[in-house]
């Protein structure tokens, strides 16, 4: 099985020179590109047209992958196009990538937009094991990181959101979303569906509101809370989902404390849990906008008979 080259393209409202500088100057490039921790240009030799560079990517646990590359620029000023070809590789035995190459394409489009696209491919180490690890895991992650980085660059050039701020917002947002998903899943599945006899069913009976329908209502409530967990996970960029959560927290919390006021004396009670979850939801809601999104990029080249969709975020 042959792996397909990685292709990523995005449209943005930006100045061509600004886009060029943010992708060709190492001190700017390393800020938005998730794939590289360091990029350094090497001095050019006399008469040399291409630019050689060193790159390094930290992979955690104190380890990093280093390599070398070479890039060459082509300008078509009358057509509003620029092209930067590159070759790269690493001699480190730890590196899955042995050598590769590709291009960055810059093209002026209608409405003052620019198309920024890349296509690259590479050879791997470690024989058949390396090829399958690349196809099943590394290449999809590498492509996603490229697309996510391209949208982070778009946010920087279009909205002035620096890559550092984008990264901080993404960490805060996804941490808050993950916590909400886990809490709603736990509250819905464990005490209501798996172990209703350990307190939840008795608490519902003590309210006296359902007149014997507690055993039917409790699993339905648990299923609804579990469904809300999945809804938050899939719709985490939509602020209305956090408003829905806030309403449900208010309703469930008020129902619990008005039905059984003694619960407020407990160290862990519905009021404290609801307030904590509402605070996490507020953090997720406030960071839902201006996040890099790999889905804003096109991942396959446009075929000759295919109409290109607009690569603009919704």
């Amino acid at each position: 099985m042959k792996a397909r080259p990685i292709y990523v393209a995005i449209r943005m409202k930006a100045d061509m020179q600004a886009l060029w500088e943010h992708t060709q100057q190492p001190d700017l490039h390393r800020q938005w590109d998730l794939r590289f921790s360091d990029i350094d240009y090497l001095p050019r030799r006399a008469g040399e047209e291409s630019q050689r560079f060193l790159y390094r990517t930290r992979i955690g646990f104190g380890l990093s992958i280093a390599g070398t590359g070479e890039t060459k620029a082509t300008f078509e000023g009358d057509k509003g196009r620029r092209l930067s070809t590159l070759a790269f590789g690493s001699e480190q035995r730890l590196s899955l990538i042995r050598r590769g190459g590709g291009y960055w394409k810059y093209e002026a489009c209608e409405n003052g937009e620019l198309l920024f696209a890349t296509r690259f491919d590479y050879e791997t180490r470690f024989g058949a094991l390396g090829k399958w690890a690349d196809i099943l895991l590394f290449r999809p992650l590498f492509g996603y990181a490229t697309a996510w980085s391209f949208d982070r660059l778009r946010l920087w050039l279009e909205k002035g959101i620096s890559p550092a701020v984008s990264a901080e917002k993404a960490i805060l947002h996804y941490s808050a979303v993950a916590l909400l998903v886990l809490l709603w899943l736990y509250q819905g599945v464990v005490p209501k569906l798996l172990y209703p006899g350990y307190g939840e069913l008795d608490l519902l009976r003590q309210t006296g509101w359902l007149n014997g329908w507690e055993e039917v209502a409790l699993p339905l409530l648990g299923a609804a809370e579990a469904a809300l967990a999945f809804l938050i996970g899939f719709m985490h960029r939509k602020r209305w989902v956090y408003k829905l959560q806030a309403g449900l927290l208010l309703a469930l919390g008020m129902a619990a404390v008005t039905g059984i006021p003694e619960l407020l004396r407990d160290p862990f009670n519905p009021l404290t849990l609801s307030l904590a979850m509402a605070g996490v939801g507020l953090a997720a809601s406030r960071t839902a906008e201006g996040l890099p999104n790999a889905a804003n990029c096109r991942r396959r080249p446009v075929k000759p008979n295919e109409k290109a969709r607009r690569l603009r975020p919704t």
Side-chain angles (χ1 to χ4, degrees), residues 282-305:
L282 179 62
S285 176
R286 296 291 294 175
T287 55
E289 294 183 358
L291 289 175
N293 186 1
N296 288 331
C297 297
R298 186 183 180 96
R299 300 299 307 276
R300 294 190 181 186
V302 179
K303 297 179 180 179
N305 59 348

Side-chain angles (χ1 to χ4, degrees), residues 74-149:
T74 303
F75 297 85
E76 298 181 25
D78 58 330
K79 297 181 180 180
R81 297 176 183 171
R82 299 184 186 186
L83 185 71
S84 177
T85 59
L86 71 150
F88 55 89
S90 176
E91 297 299 325
Q92 279 188 259
R93 295 295 301 173
L94 184 62
S95 173
L96 178 63
I97 296 177
R98 185 188 302 274
R99 57 180 172 268
Y103 66 78
W104 281 2
K105 182 170 65 174
Y106 311 72
E107 185 173 350
C109 303
E110 69 277 4
N111 301 325
E113 292 183 334
L114 300 177
L115 176 68
F116 179 46
T118 185
R119 184 183 186 275
F120 60 93
D121 202 358
Y122 50 83
E123 299 175 6
T124 59
R125 286 188 171 88
F126 314 122
L129 179 62
K131 289 182 179 180
W132 281 108
D134 176 56
I135 292 173
L136 297 177
L137 181 62
F138 184 79
R139 190 171 292 249
L141 289 176
F142 204 13
Y144 180 87
T146 303
W148 194 87
S149 298

Side-chain angles (χ1 to χ4, degrees), residues 139-161:
R139 190 171 292 249
L141 289 176
F142 204 13
Y144 180 87
T146 303
W148 194 87
S149 298
F150 272 34
D151 200 48
R152 185 155 72 145
L153 173 62
R154 177 192 65 81
L155 289 171
W156 194 9
L157 293 176
E158 282 192 354
K159 302 181 181 297
I161 302 175

Side-chain angles (χ1 to χ4, degrees), residues 18-261:
L19 175 60
W20 181 260
E21 291 175 356
H22 281 71
T23 56
Q24 296 294 322
Q25 293 185 11
D27 59 328
L28 296 175
H29 181 185
R30 70 168 68 96
Q31 293 185 52
W32 61 265
D33 201 332
L34 192 65
R35 300 167 297 174
F36 302 103
S37 303
D38 297 293
I39 306 171
D40 295 295
Y41 279 176
L42 298 174
R44 287 190 177 183
R45 305 186 186 99
E48 190 175 40
E49 295 184 2
S50 59
Q51 174 66 64
R52 294 173 297 122
F53 61 90
L54 303 175
Y55 68 87
R56 183 179 301 275
T57 302
R58 298 184 185 91
I59 58 176
F61 307 103
L63 301 175
S64 62
I65 300 296
T68 60
E70 188 172 331
T71 180
K72 183 179 179 180
T74 303
F75 297 85
E76 298 181 25
D78 58 330
K79 297 181 180 180
R81 297 176 183 171
R82 299 184 186 186
L83 185 71
S84 177
T85 59
L86 71 150
F88 55 89
S90 176
E91 297 299 325
Q92 279 188 259
R93 295 295 301 173
L94 184 62
S95 173
L96 178 63
I97 296 177
R98 185 188 302 274
R99 57 180 172 268
Y103 66 78
W104 281 2
K105 182 170 65 174
Y106 311 72
E107 185 173 350
C109 303
E110 69 277 4
N111 301 325
E113 292 183 334
L114 300 177
L115 176 68
F116 179 46
T118 185
R119 184 183 186 275
F120 60 93
D121 202 358
Y122 50 83
E123 299 175 6
T124 59
R125 286 188 171 88
F126 314 122
L129 179 62
K131 289 182 179 180
W132 281 108
D134 176 56
I135 292 173
L136 297 177
L137 181 62
F138 184 79
R139 190 171 292 249
L141 289 176
F142 204 13
Y144 180 87
T146 303
W148 194 87
S149 298
F150 272 34
D151 200 48
R152 185 155 72 145
L153 173 62
R154 177 192 65 81
L155 289 171
W156 194 9
L157 293 176
E158 282 192 354
K159 302 181 181 297
I161 302 175
S162 72
V165 172
S166 292
E168 290 177 0
K169 287 185 65 175
I171 292 172
L172 176 59
H173 179 79
Y174 288 109
S175 297
V177 169
L179 183 57
L180 287 176
V181 169
L182 289 174
L183 286 172
W184 281 112
L185 272 178
Y186 180 87
Q187 291 297 322
V189 174
V190 177
K192 295 180 178 66
L193 296 179
L194 297 181
Y195 305 105
Y198 280 75
E200 286 278 332
L201 192 57
D202 290 336
L203 289 174
L204 195 58
R205 284 170 176 159
Q206 289 178 43
T207 63
W209 291 344
L210 298 178
N211 298 320
W213 289 87
E214 293 84 2
E215 292 187 5
V216 175
L218 189 63
L220 292 177
L221 179 59
E225 291 182 347
L228 179 60
F230 287 105
L231 181 65
I232 292 174
F234 285 108
M235 305 296 290
H236 64 92
R237 292 177 182 271
K238 306 296 184 181
R239 286 190 167 181
W240 63 262
V241 77
Y242 303 108
K243 294 179 181 180
L244 173 63
Q245 176 195 250
L248 290 175
L249 286 172
L250 178 62
L252 292 173
M254 291 297 295
V257 298
T258 55
I260 314 175

Side-chain angles (χ1 to χ4, degrees), residues 257 260-267 269-272:
V257 298
I260 314 175
E262 295 81 8
L263 288 175
L264 292 176
R265 297 196 298 254
D266 295 338
N269 58 68
L271 179 62
T272 56

